[in-house]
């Protein structure tokens, strides 16, 4: 192997190597839809790939040409091909299979994978890579060969042999742009993130043993019995909220996972009260209140937690807890002030640096916290989790909250999902169960015991009882069927006539069913479905977009109204808007947000509900697409454009009303000219809807299957609905069946490393 060229080469920075610089310059996160791909060629060949397949495997130049054809087709991003070219520039004799592996490893990052699993790719290239079968039509020759044909006949031994290139692919620490770990190929930066996350979690799990030693079960039991009322005699199973508090209190790393309505926020507030009570109870020995920060990955998630956490804190029994502390220096007011109610984004907690991927807080400048709680942790990618663990003081606790079954982060990594992979079965050791029973009075089912449970298992608690979806809820039943991949059960669920569940067939060239849904929230039903719905009548009313638009006109104040009256009007419109939301999987195409937003706007205009004379008009719902700290708006915030009546005879002034996001129910007014990053959201991607809830959610699936459609996406869309769900489908059920059976399996070595280290310990 010839040494890498040095002329013009960048020096490694921070031990990351040249790849770190390359991706810092070119890599941008792919949007949640992941169906947007660049189409600029990196290199191309007019010769048929079917003639040069064998040559591609033997010739680096031909391989680069093949990769260029894939980029032209949109099968790879421009960045993926550029990375392969970069490596060939650095090492002119780089083997073709190494260039192929490097481009595909880069491609995997765009799909949310941390690495390229070589064996999985050889076993099933189409599944492992999910490259689209075709791209934009080219005027010249036939389509290029797909990866399956290029890799035909290649063995794992051959591929590993091609990666035996010490200048480009290392097997551990160093500066090579690639890292090979077993059969997993990483870009070095992501290999390092994975190592850092694993080391950070293991350090806190080890610290947990010392925390438990200093926390007698009797002390925890006294406070927990105050925080949790006794269970009813007819209650089934253990109180998992109480168990989750105890589990998290005995560890420096804890996870509380559960579906919608299982009480994650309530549980973590009680956990913080428990931790502060225990800390202040040590005042005689110099104890002090814990420094606690609450964070979420997006502004929308932070705002939602802000709204709910204040109420949960207000319901805490501070007087009884203060008596439990047992010192005159600590009273109810002190305890109350020690529980934070302000939630900020992770970027704000860590401190962003303009023009840099790094944060102000890191190992050299750690966060001044004793406890960090992160809500909606399923949305936290591997890079951000590494930054969080790097910035935490060695003795600080980290508590993650989230739904393990929701969609993972848009960017690489599915950290929460991986860490919670064994949560349902428990895997608690006998020692853990004994301590938990002494600390809570709750007994864990014997089926959850595991003599070989790992330290991570002992730090994960799954909440199992939904307070949002009752046993007769069709939304809850459908979500559970999707979660376990039961496509047959999903197909049969419509026969039960659930009052909160409806299915709508949307033919491609018939607006009528979609029009009824988006305008009034209703749908055409079979006679049997109508009869079943009447038998299970619900007193609440299903809404469409007419509701908020009529509210906007009916409640509009007269000219000269006070600012308070204008704010009350806007708050009513914003609340009415949350009654209904159209959700979809993709960004592009007739059934993506682009096509549906145009279609919905046309229908609402035909109904006389909106009058879009330009980009801005009264009633336009908009989504903020990036954080704007100057305006106090966060990525994911939704606002409504309103015509403010001013003085009599004067034209109205258009302003966009956003919820204040501080739990007060107030309104923030913004001029449209100041909003630089917004998009219309009559239709909203499921990814963008994470952290939001709507009284009636309508999930629209496309008419053809896409690899983006997975059970996690369908589950997330279903659980955005609080009271009603409409599943809008093209004719036939094949798309839904395939989506329910397709589970996200992101390539990663995080859990393999944790399991290996636990076994070694």
């Amino acid at each position: 192997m010839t040494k890498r060229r040095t002329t013009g080469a960048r020096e490694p920075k921070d031990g990351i190597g040249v790849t770190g610089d390359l991706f810092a310059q070119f890599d941008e996160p792919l949007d949640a839809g992941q169906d947007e791909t660049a189409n600029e060629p990196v290199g191309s060949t007019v010769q048929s790939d079917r003639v040069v397949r064998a040559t591609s495997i033997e010739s680096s130049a031909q391989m680069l040409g093949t990769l260029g054809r894939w980029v032209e087709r949109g099968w790879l991003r421009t960045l993926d091909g550029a990375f392969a070219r970069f490596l060939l520039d650095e090492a002119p004799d780089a083997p073709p299979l190494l260039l192929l592996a490097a481009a595909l490893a880069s491609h995997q990052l765009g799909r949310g994978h941390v690495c390229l699993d070589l064996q999985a790719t050889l076993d099933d290239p189409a599944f492992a890579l999910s490259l689209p079968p075709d791209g934009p039509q080219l005027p010249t020759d036939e389509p290029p060969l797909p990866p399956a044909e290029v890799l035909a006949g290649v063995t794992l031994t051959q591929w590993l042999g091609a990666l035996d290139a010490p200048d480009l692919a290392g097997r551990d620490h160093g500066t090579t742009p690639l890292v090979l770990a077993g059969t997993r190929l990483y870009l070095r930066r992501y290999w390092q993130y994975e190592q850092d996350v694993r080391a950070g979690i293991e350090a806190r799990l080890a610290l947990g043993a010392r925390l438990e030693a200093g926390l007698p079960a009797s002390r925890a039991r006294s406070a927990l019995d105050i925080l949790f009322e006794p269970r009813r005699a007819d209650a089934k199973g253990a109180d998992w909220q109480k168990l989750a508090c105890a589990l998290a209190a005995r560890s420096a790393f804890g996870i509380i996972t559960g579906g919608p309505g299982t009480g994650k926020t309530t549980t973590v507030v009680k956990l913080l009260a428990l931790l502060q009570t225990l800390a202040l109870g040590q005042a005689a020995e110099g104890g002090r209140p814990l420094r606690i920060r609450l964070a979420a990955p997006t502004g929308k998630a932070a705002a939602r937690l802000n709204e709910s956490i204040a109420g949960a804190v207000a319901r805490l029994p501070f007087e009884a807890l203060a008596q439990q502390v047992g010192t005159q220096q600590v009273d109810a007011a002190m305890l109350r002030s020690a529980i934070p109610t302000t939630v900020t984004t992770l970027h704000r907690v860590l401190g962003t640096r303009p023009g840099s991927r790094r944060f102000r807080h890191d190992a050299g400048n750690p966060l001044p916290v004793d406890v960090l709680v992160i809500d909606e942790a399923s949305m936290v990618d591997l890079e951000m989790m590494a930054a969080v663990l790097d910035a935490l003081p060695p003795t600080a606790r980290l508590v993650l909250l989230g739904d393990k079954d929701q969609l993972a982060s848009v960017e690489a990594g599915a950290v929460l999902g991986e860490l919670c992979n064994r949560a349902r079965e428990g895997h608690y050791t006998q020692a853990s169960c004994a301590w938990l029973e002494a600390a809570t009075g709750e007994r864990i089912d014997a089926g959850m015991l595991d003599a070989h449970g790992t330290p991570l298992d002992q730090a994960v608690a799954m909440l199992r009882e939904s307070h949002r979806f009752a046993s007769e809820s069709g939304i809850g039943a459908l979500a559970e069927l999707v979660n376990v991949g039961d496509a047959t059960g999903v197909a049969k669920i419509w026969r039960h006539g659930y009052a909160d569940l409806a299915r709508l067939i949307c033919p491609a060239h018939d607006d009528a069913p979609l029009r009824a849904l988006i305008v009034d929230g209703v749908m055409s039903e079979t006679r049997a479905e109508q009869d079943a719905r009447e038998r299970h009548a619900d007193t609440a009313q299903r809404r469409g977009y007419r509701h908020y638009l009529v509210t906007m006109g009916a409640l509009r104040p007269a000219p000269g109204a006070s600012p308070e009256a204008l704010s009350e009007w806007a708050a009513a419109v914003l609340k009415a808007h949350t009654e209904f939301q159209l959700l979809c999987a993709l960004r592009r195409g007739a059934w993506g947000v682009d096509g549906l937003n145009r279609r919905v706007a046309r229908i609402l205009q035909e109904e006389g509900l909106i009058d879009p004379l330009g980009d801005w008009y009264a009633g336009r719902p908009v989504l903020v697409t990036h954080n704007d700290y100057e305006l106090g708006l966060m990525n994911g915030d939704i606002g409504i454009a309103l015509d403010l009546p001013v003085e009599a005879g004067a034209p109205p002034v258009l302003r966009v009303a956003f919820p204040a996001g501080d739990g007060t129910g107030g309104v923030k007014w913004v001029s449209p000219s100041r909003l630089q990053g917004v998009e219309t959201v009559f239709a909203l991607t499921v990814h963008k809807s994470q952290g939001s809830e709507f009284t009636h959610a309508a999930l629209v699936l496309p008419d053809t299957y896409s690899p983006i459609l997975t059970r996690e996406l369908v589950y997330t869309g279903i659980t955005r609905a609080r009271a009603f769900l409409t599943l809008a489908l093209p004719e036939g059920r094949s798309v839904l069946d395939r989506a329910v059976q397709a589970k996200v399996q992101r390539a990663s070595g995080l859990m393999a490393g944790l399991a290996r280290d636990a076994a070694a310990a």
Side-chain angles (χ1 to χ4, degrees):
M1 170 64 67
T2 303
K3 290 186 177 181
R4 281 186 279 169
R5 293 176 179 175
T6 55
T7 304
R10 290 180 287 269
E11 290 296 320
K13 294 183 179 180
D14 305 312
I16 300 299
V18 290
T19 310
D21 287 340
L22 177 75
F23 274 78
Q25 181 177 355
F26 294 111
D27 197 9
E28 296 181 356
L30 199 62
D31 192 274
Q34 292 190 28
D35 54 327
E36 300 176 88
T37 48
N39 297 312
E40 299 175 17
V42 174
S44 62
T45 175
V46 297
Q47 192 176 5
S48 170
D49 276 356
R50 285 177 171 78
V51 175
V52 301
R53 190 202 73 82
T55 311
S56 295
I57 298 297
E58 298 171 2
S59 164
S60 295
Q62 290 287 2
M63 178 60 74
L64 205 63
T66 297
L67 295 176
R69 297 283 312 283
W70 291 358
V71 172
E72 289 173 350
R73 281 276 168 176
W75 295 5
L76 296 178
R77 301 173 299 173
T78 301
L79 177 65
D80 306 330
F83 182 47
R85 177 180 289 281
F86 165 79
L87 294 182
L88 190 60
D89 287 344
E90 292 291 306
D93 57 350
L97 283 175
L98 184 148
L99 300 179
L100 174 64
L104 295 181
S106 173
H107 165 74
Q108 293 294 72
L109 289 173
R111 297 181 53 237
H113 297 276
V114 176
C115 58
L116 174 72
D117 188 323
L118 300 174
Q119 185 62 68
T121 302
L122 290 174
D123 290 343
D124 188 355
F127 174 80
L129 300 174
S130 295
L131 297 182
D134 52 29
Q137 294 298 317
L138 301 180
T140 54
D141 52 8
E142 58 188 302
L145 286 175
E149 295 189 45
V150 173
L151 287 168
V154 175
T155 67
L156 180 62
T157 300
Q158 283 178 284
W159 215 349
L160 290 173
L163 291 167
D164 185 13
D167 290 329
L168 297 180
R171 292 183 179 271
D172 208 324
H173 299 280
T175 60
T176 56
L178 298 169
V179 177
L180 183 64
T183 62
R184 295 187 299 274
L185 183 67
Y186 295 80
L187 274 66
R188 175 163 294 280
R189 185 149 57 86
Y190 285 86
W191 176 84
Q192 190 62 58
Y193 292 150
E194 193 172 274
Q195 301 299 307
D196 293 345
V197 169
R198 182 163 65 238
I201 291 173
E202 288 175 341
R204 279 169 176 76
L205 291 174
L207 177 61
R210 298 199 296 274
L211 290 175
E212 181 184 341
L215 177 58
S218 58
R219 287 190 63 205
R221 177 68 179 268
S222 299
L224 285 167
D225 283 348
I226 293 172
L227 288 163
F228 291 88
E229 296 179 357
R231 298 266 284 176
R232 299 192 313 270
D234 61 344
K236 297 180 180 179
D239 185 343
W240 276 98
Q241 290 188 12
K242 193 174 186 180
L243 286 166
C245 278
L247 275 170
R250 72 197 282 260
S251 177
F253 177 76
I255 299 177
I256 301 174
T257 187
T262 52
K264 295 186 291 293
T265 301
T266 300
T267 302
V268 81
V269 167
K270 291 183 177 181
L271 168 64
L272 298 180
L274 170 65
L275 293 175
Q276 287 291 28
T277 300
L278 295 173
L280 291 171
Q282 298 174 352
E285 298 95 41
R288 59 169 177 79
L290 298 171
R291 299 167 299 173
I292 300 172
R293 294 290 301 271
L294 307 176
T298 68
K300 182 65 176 177
R304 276 201 60 227
L305 186 57
N306 260 327
E307 293 169 359
S308 60
I309 204 164
V313 171
R315 293 189 294 271
L316 289 173
F318 287 111
E319 293 288 348
L321 289 172
Q323 293 176 13
Q324 174 65 31
V325 173
T327 65
Q328 293 183 348
Q329 292 84 1
V330 178
D331 58 13
M334 178 181 290
L335 264 177
R336 183 186 298 271
S337 66
I339 309 297
T341 57
T342 301
V343 188
T344 53
T345 63
L346 275 174
H347 283 84
R348 275 200 161 179
V349 170
L350 296 176
T352 55
R353 290 181 175 179
S356 171
R357 301 179 75 100
R358 294 189 173 276
F359 295 98
R360 286 192 298 106
H361 289 289
D362 54 22
N365 179 31
L367 288 164
V369 299
D370 300 304
V371 181
L372 177 63
V373 176
I374 302 177
D375 192 27
E376 295 288 355
S378 63
M379 300 167 68
V380 180
D381 60 89
L382 182 70
E383 180 178 2
M384 178 59 80
M385 190 63 74
V388 167
L389 287 163
D390 186 49
L392 280 177
T395 58
R397 297 173 186 262
L398 176 62
V399 180
L400 305 180
L401 303 180
D403 186 345
K404 67 181 182 64
D405 298 312
Q406 275 193 186
L407 279 168
S409 59
V410 175
E411 298 185 43
V415 180
L416 186 75
E418 288 189 76
L419 295 175
C420 294
N421 187 47
R422 287 156 56 98
R424 186 177 294 273
E425 298 80 17
H427 297 281
Y428 300 115
T429 63
Q430 185 62 52
S432 291
C433 291
W435 189 91
L436 288 169
E437 185 173 354
T440 66
E442 301 289 329
R443 179 170 295 181
I444 293 179
D445 186 272
M448 294 187 183
L449 269 66
D450 182 353
H452 302 289
T454 67
L456 176 62
D457 293 328
Q458 317 314 303
V460 180
M462 178 177 167
L463 306 181
R464 300 158 192 271
E465 182 180 355
S466 175
H467 303 283
R468 185 201 297 180
F469 302 133
S471 57
E472 65 274 12
S473 167
I475 299 174
L478 179 61
E480 181 62 24
L481 290 169
V482 170
N483 235 343
V484 298
D486 186 352
T488 301
V490 169
K492 293 179 178 178
I493 197 171
W494 315 104
R495 304 174 187 173
H496 295 279
Y498 285 111
D500 60 349
L501 200 59
R503 177 180 54 176
L504 176 67
I505 302 301
C506 291
H509 304 293
D510 184 1
D511 263 356
L514 186 64
R515 180 183 296 265
L517 173 65
I518 63 177
V519 174
D520 293 308
V522 298
M523 62 290 301
S524 302
E525 300 173 309
T526 66
R527 181 70 254 175
E529 288 173 328
Q530 291 172 355
D531 291 343
R533 194 169 306 285
E534 290 170 3
R535 290 195 302 271
H536 298 80
D538 196 293
T539 55
Q541 184 177 356
R542 183 175 282 110
R543 311 282 193 183
Y545 284 139
R546 185 194 300 274
H547 175 60
Y548 92 89
L549 292 167
V550 168
T551 299
M552 179 180 71
L555 300 184
R556 189 171 186 266
S562 67
E564 291 78 14
L566 293 175
S567 292
E568 288 177 6
W569 168 53
V573 175
L574 287 167
K575 183 177 184 300
H577 181 262
T578 66
E579 294 289 308
F580 176 75
Q581 181 63 56
L582 198 65
L583 304 174
C584 50
L586 309 177
R587 290 197 59 83
R588 302 300 184 207
W591 298 104
V593 291
D594 290 351
L596 282 171
N597 270 319
R598 290 191 296 270
R599 195 170 171 186
V600 173
R602 173 178 56 79
I603 289 172
L604 294 178
Q605 183 179 22
E606 291 170 356
E607 295 286 329
L609 294 170
I610 61 172
D611 188 15
L613 298 176
D615 290 339
W616 286 100
Y617 51 88
R620 181 192 178 194
V622 294
L623 176 90
V624 177
T625 57
H626 63 263
N627 294 341
D628 189 327
Y629 294 109
E630 182 181 350
L631 295 177
L633 296 175
M634 298 293 113
N635 183 12
D637 285 348
I638 292 179
I640 308 291
L642 298 174
D643 272 333
L644 270 66
V646 283
E647 299 177 0
V653 176
L654 194 71
R655 292 290 183 267
V656 184
F658 290 92
D662 55 5
T664 64
V667 172
K668 180 181 300 182
W669 297 99
V670 181
S671 171
S673 63
R674 300 190 66 192
L675 293 171
Q676 301 303 311
V678 294
E679 58 187 32
T680 303
V681 284
F682 288 120
L684 179 66
T685 62
V686 174
H687 273 89
K688 294 283 189 181
S689 75
Q690 284 184 271
S692 299
E693 295 175 359
F694 309 96
T695 304
H696 177 193
L699 175 60
V700 182
L701 296 184
D703 53 357
T704 57
Y705 180 75
S706 163
I708 298 163
L709 293 171
T710 63
R711 72 178 64 164
E712 288 84 357
L713 183 140
V714 176
Y715 169 84
T716 303
I718 289 169
T719 54
R720 297 313 89 201
R722 282 195 302 264
F724 301 103
L725 172 77
T726 299
L727 190 58
L729 305 165
E731 296 177 87
R733 48 175 273 203
S734 60
V735 170
L736 178 60
D737 284 357
R738 290 188 66 182
V740 170
Q741 293 167 3
K743 184 173 176 60
V744 170
Q745 295 178 344
R746 290 192 167 181
S748 164
L750 179 61
M751 287 307 297
L754 282 170
R756 183 176 60 249
D757 294 346

